[in-house]
Amino acid sequence: MDETETPGAALDAAPEAAHDTVPEAALDTAPAGAPERQPELPPFVTATKPATDIRTRIQEAGGLSLDRLPMLSVVFDRLATACSDAAKHLAASTTFYSLSGVESGRFGEFLDAYDANAVVGIFQAPEWDGHVLVGLDRDFLYTMVEVLFGSDGAEPPVEDERTFSAIELRIAQMVFEQVGKALESSFGLVSQTAFRLERMETRMEFAVIGRRSNKAVQAKFLLQALNRGGEMFLIIPQTVLNPLRPALGKVLTGESAARDPRWAEQIAAEVQKTTVRLRAVLEERHLTLGEIAGLKVGQVLTLDATPATRIKLEGNDRPLFWCRAGQSQGSYVLRVEESINPEKEGGHGLLG
């Protein structure tokens, strides 16, 4: 019996030996009621942001370099032209927009310069997932009111710093709607997006599309009409322009890149409708002033030309073609033989 019980005792001891091999740290137990200990991350695991986010934050901290965004000035020039074209359909007086400057700085500093002196419109750009701000200063609105109501500019400009009237705000809304369409066509060179007017504000503290300390780019446009003017400004946050850096950094190498096929077809069609007067020259003779003064009525001038002599066809006093004379159905006709090359012919194509 003793020999048979020995294996059983050995088997009972085996599990205890197994427990003895477990490290002491694993045997530590938390006190009753204490929260469970969370497993620690391996030393090589870190909670850092991706490298792309770090580069973006560095770029945002440094600000935009306008010299490296040449297409931005092109877009703003197109915007000024589009606004000028839109204003021509509203009033008989000449209204002209021009780009006066582009600068980068803090969003809050730009708005503080127009505090209580401008109306701003906040536009949403859905494709950019951001907003831009367009503002009209007091002189701009006063000038636009006079232009739209037919003033001739004889009266002195208004300098009253009062609250804007309902008519002035309605005109500002109309201008914002036109600027939204102009922004869409101008930025179409680099990115297609719509610009939707969300709201208007007359107090700069309510014109919030980001933190006041955020970087932004401001473009100023000068309005000229009735020997006076005003200022329109456009503020674009840097966070909106950052995704457009590759497109804005391109340089147009030729006119073909910005060619509009529809405009080219239209201008070609209009040019072809232009009336041109042609003149057929059989022969030219050089006379002195005395010979011309001695001409009398009925006098005959002999010419050396023959029916086989080529006739020069001119347009706007420029030689165009050499022709042969003939008759068809009782009328004189010309048959074009070859074009005239002034450099080859010499003397404006008189030789030949």
Side-chain angles (χ1 to χ4, degrees), residues 142-143 146 151-160 226-228:
Y142 290 166
T143 301
E146 294 189 22
S151 174
D152 58 358
E155 298 182 358
V158 180
E159 298 181 356
D160 187 11
L226 302 177
N227 295 324
R228 62 195 66 176

Side-chain angles (χ1 to χ4, degrees), residues 32-352:
E36 296 181 358
R37 179 180 298 176
Q38 298 295 332
E40 297 181 359
L41 294 175
F44 58 84
V45 177
T46 58
T48 59
K49 293 184 179 180
T52 55
D53 292 343
I54 296 176
R55 287 195 295 265
T56 302
R57 293 174 64 184
I58 293 174
Q59 290 177 351
E60 292 178 356
L64 285 172
S65 177
L66 299 179
D67 295 337
R68 296 184 179 182
L69 304 176
M71 282 299 297
L72 197 58
S73 297
V74 176
V75 170
F76 291 153
D77 286 334
R78 287 171 58 94
L79 177 60
T81 303
C83 291
S84 299
D85 294 339
K88 293 178 180 178
H89 303 287
L90 298 178
S93 302
T94 303
T95 305
F96 181 71
Y97 289 77
S98 61
L99 177 64
S100 60
V102 182
E103 59 182 342
S104 59
R106 300 289 180 182
F107 182 78
E109 296 175 356
F110 291 149
L111 289 182
D112 291 342
Y114 297 95
D115 189 21
N117 195 38
V119 178
V120 297
I122 298 174
F123 291 82
Q124 180 190 16
E127 300 298 330
W128 298 350
D129 192 21
H131 295 77
V132 300
L133 188 147
V134 178
L136 312 174
D137 72 353
R138 188 176 298 273
D139 293 337
F140 184 104
L141 282 178
Y142 290 166
T143 301
M144 187 60 68
V145 169
E146 294 189 22
V147 169
L148 296 181
F149 283 92
S151 174
D152 58 358
E155 298 182 358
V158 180
E159 298 181 356
D160 187 11
E161 296 185 1
R162 51 174 175 76
T163 57
F164 296 107
S165 64
I167 294 179
E168 292 166 347
L169 294 178
R170 184 65 184 89
I171 291 176
Q173 181 180 356
M174 180 190 62
V175 173
F176 286 144
E177 292 173 354
Q178 292 183 343
V179 173
K181 297 178 182 179
L183 283 170
E184 183 175 351
S185 62
S186 302
F187 274 98
L189 289 174
V190 294
S191 177
Q192 295 290 341
T193 185
F195 290 86
R196 302 171 184 172
L197 179 63
E198 286 190 347
R199 67 184 191 275
M200 296 191 309
E201 299 289 350
T202 56
R203 298 179 61 179
M204 299 301 105
E205 60 267 24
F206 295 150
V208 178
I209 58 176
R211 295 182 178 179
R212 293 177 58 86
S213 60
N214 287 352
K215 291 282 188 176
V217 171
Q218 178 180 242
K220 295 182 179 180
F221 301 87
L222 181 64
L223 170 70
Q224 297 177 350
L226 302 177
N227 295 324
R228 62 195 66 176
E231 187 175 79
M232 179 180 76
F233 57 93
L234 169 66
I235 301 178
I236 306 177
Q238 179 173 314
T239 54
V240 175
L241 292 178
N242 279 334
L244 305 179
R245 282 175 180 263
L248 294 174
K250 295 180 180 179
V251 179
L252 295 179
T253 57
E255 297 181 357
S256 59
R259 181 180 179 182
D260 188 349
R262 293 178 299 178
W263 180 87
E265 294 177 359
Q266 181 179 358
I267 194 66
E270 295 297 329
V271 169
Q272 293 176 2
K273 295 178 182 178
T274 304
T275 302
V276 179
R277 301 186 64 178
L278 301 178
R279 182 178 65 172
V281 180
L282 180 63
E283 182 181 343
E284 291 182 340
R285 291 188 59 181
H286 297 279
L287 302 176
T288 63
L289 183 59
E291 292 175 338
I292 294 176
L295 293 177
K296 298 180 181 180
V297 177
Q299 185 176 349
V300 178
L301 300 178
T302 59
L303 301 178
D304 297 332
T306 64
T309 302
R310 294 196 300 179
I311 298 176
K312 182 177 62 175
L313 190 64
E314 294 181 346
N316 195 23
D317 295 330
R318 296 179 62 87
L320 302 177
F321 301 99
W322 287 116
C323 307
R324 294 289 183 183
Q327 289 186 355
S328 176
Q329 298 180 357
S331 301
Y332 293 106
V333 295
L334 296 177
R335 183 179 62 187
V336 177
E337 289 191 341
E338 62 176 332
S339 60
I340 296 178
N341 186 350
E343 297 181 357
K344 180 180 178 181
E345 299 289 344
H348 299 287
L350 296 180
L351 301 180

